[in-house]
Amino acid sequence: MYKILEARELAANIYLMEVEAQRIAKRCQPGQFIIVRTDEEGERIPLTICDYDREKGTVTIVFQIVGAGTKKMAKLQAGDYFHDFVGPLGCASELVNEPEEELKKKSILFVAGGVGTAPVYPQVKWLKGKGVAADVIVGAKTKDLLILEKEMEAVAGNLYVTTDDGSYGRSGMVTQTVKDLVEEGKHYDVCIAIGPMIMMKFVCKLTKELGIPTVVSLNPIMVDGTGMCGACRVTVDGEVKFACVDGPEFDGHKVDFDQAMKRQQMYKTAEGRAALKEEEGDTHHGGCGNCG
Ligand code: NAD
Ligand code: FES
């Protein structure tokens, strides 16, 4: 059982929880994720790690209510427990494995969309710890949905906030600010984009035109998180990959976003899962237990 030390609402339907998880806190790296279950019968919910404190032995997660499982999670308070808190899962961000001297030479741009701001935060914080100040664009639909602004400001080189409706910061979607910054003369060696699939698709379309290599963190539907069930299948550079073990980070210019978005929709219904089973043939693992 994993004790919740802090639970608070960051914005409408978006929650932050700090959880006691000594072993994960000791080993996790930016970019990795965990899977939680509220109880024995609970849905398995994958969440990218937002922060960790190795000394305190805690891991911070941020999630949005999107269904019954996350609704149940949001009711938990400080002092309550998660039944399961499994991780760290997936590969760490590629940045973690780069020699420090190389990192220091790079001009890095992070693009965070909505709840995707949470997984961006530990990467920017980790870089600051290495003396690298990255530029960060954080986009939200409206001012009230903006999260972790102060935290990000404390670790970013420059922070650019955008709102789709212009209620705060720059007006428009994150892609507009990427374009503006480049037009203003900024040069970036790499872009890391994390947020809704549609945002990552359009950031990648733009950075391809601008010639900026781009990494994305994919969050397709996950079930086991160990590469066995096949739920998180994506196509990257024409090859089948499983986001939970091969990712979650991939070269954004090689990801088939249209297929990933279509699959995400199809996986939600029995009819869709049956169609996927048919389409994917022998390479459809079917281990999710839902597609017969
Ligand atoms: P949102 O819909 O509010 O979008 C956030 C920002 O993304 C917008 O403000 C905009 O700037 C940008 N954006 C959206 N559509 C765009 C487009 N077509 N072109 C360019 N930019 C665009 O985000 P939200 O409601 O917080 O997102 C929730 C989604 O994010 C869920 O589907 C969730 O699964 C996903 N998510 C992904 C990750 C990840 O690791 N990739 C992490 C957390 C959440
Ligand atoms: Fe990735 Fe099951 S969640 S294979």
Side-chain angles (χ1 to χ4, degrees):
M1 301 287 270
Y2 300 84
K3 191 173 184 179
I4 300 167
L5 301 185
E6 185 191 354
R8 62 187 159 100
E9 193 172 11
L10 293 179
N13 289 330
I14 305 175
Y15 295 80
L16 175 146
M17 288 182 181
E18 187 184 13
V19 182
E20 210 169 55
Q22 303 272 355
R23 198 184 54 83
I24 301 175
K26 236 181 232 155
R27 295 181 43 219
C28 66
Q29 299 280 10
Q32 291 188 293
F33 68 96
I34 50 101
I35 289 186
V36 292
R37 273 201 315 171
T38 47
D39 52 66
E40 220 168 330
E41 307 296 313
E43 187 187 328
R44 296 160 67 90
I45 301 167
L47 295 166
T48 317
I49 291 167
C50 169
D51 203 0
Y52 51 87
D53 186 326
R54 299 210 198 281
E55 280 175 23
K56 226 169 131 191
T58 61
V59 171
T60 302
I61 50 172
V62 169
F63 63 94
Q64 185 175 34
I65 297 183
V66 287
T70 40
K71 201 168 182 179
K72 205 167 175 184
M73 242 174 101
K75 291 197 177 115
L76 297 174
Q77 302 288 327
D80 291 338
Y81 290 83
F82 279 113
H83 186 276
D84 288 331
F85 199 83
V86 180
L89 298 167
C91 306
S93 160
E94 275 181 30
L95 294 173
V96 174
N97 300 315
E98 280 199 45
E100 239 171 276
E101 286 320 304
E102 291 303 311
L103 271 183
K104 283 184 178 153
K105 285 185 213 154
K106 280 191 173 163
S107 176
I108 305 173
L109 173 68
F110 283 89
V111 181
V115 191
T117 307
V120 164
Y121 175 70
Q123 299 205 27
V124 183
K125 183 179 170 188
W126 183 89
L127 283 169
K128 185 180 164 72
K130 302 281 169 200
V132 180
D135 278 4
V136 182
I137 301 172
V138 172
K141 282 194 194 85
T142 180
K143 184 175 189 285
D144 296 344
L145 290 174
L146 185 65
I147 59 165
L148 304 171
E149 184 188 6
K150 275 201 188 85
E151 290 84 348
M152 200 66 94
E153 208 163 42
V155 293
N158 295 294
L159 175 65
Y160 306 92
V161 175
T162 75
T163 49
D164 300 4
D165 64 359
S167 53
Y168 188 64
R170 295 180 177 224
S171 183
M173 293 191 178
V174 288
T175 36
Q176 185 58 51
T177 296
V178 174
K179 218 185 277 179
D180 291 346
L181 291 178
V182 171
E183 279 171 14
E184 286 162 23
K186 288 264 189 180
H187 164 83
Y188 295 108
D189 298 304
V190 64
C191 168
I192 295 128
I194 311 182
M197 204 77 94
I198 188 78
M199 177 206 93
M200 296 190 282
K201 174 184 165 166
F202 283 103
V203 168
C204 287
K205 188 170 177 286
L206 174 63
T207 55
K208 204 168 183 179
E209 287 162 20
L210 296 171
I212 309 171
T214 300
V215 174
V216 294
S217 177
L218 299 183
N219 68 326
I221 288 165
M222 291 193 189
V223 180
D224 65 342
T226 63
M228 299 295 287
C229 75
C232 68
R233 172 193 175 119
V234 286
T235 302
V236 183
D237 205 14
E239 280 182 35
V240 171
K241 299 279 178 193
F242 297 100
C244 67
V245 286
D246 299 318
E249 291 193 354
F250 294 100
D251 179 341
H253 293 166
K254 294 184 176 164
V255 170
D256 186 338
F257 286 106
D258 292 337
Q259 185 210 50
M261 287 188 284
K262 186 174 155 220
R263 201 172 188 280
Q264 205 151 16
Q265 282 308 315
M266 287 175 79
Y267 220 92
K268 287 182 184 161
T269 64
E271 202 182 332
R273 288 192 294 270
L276 283 173
K277 190 182 174 194
E278 194 72 25
E279 270 175 31
E280 295 172 357
D282 287 349
T283 64
H284 185 86
H285 292 191
C288 66
N290 290 321
C291 51

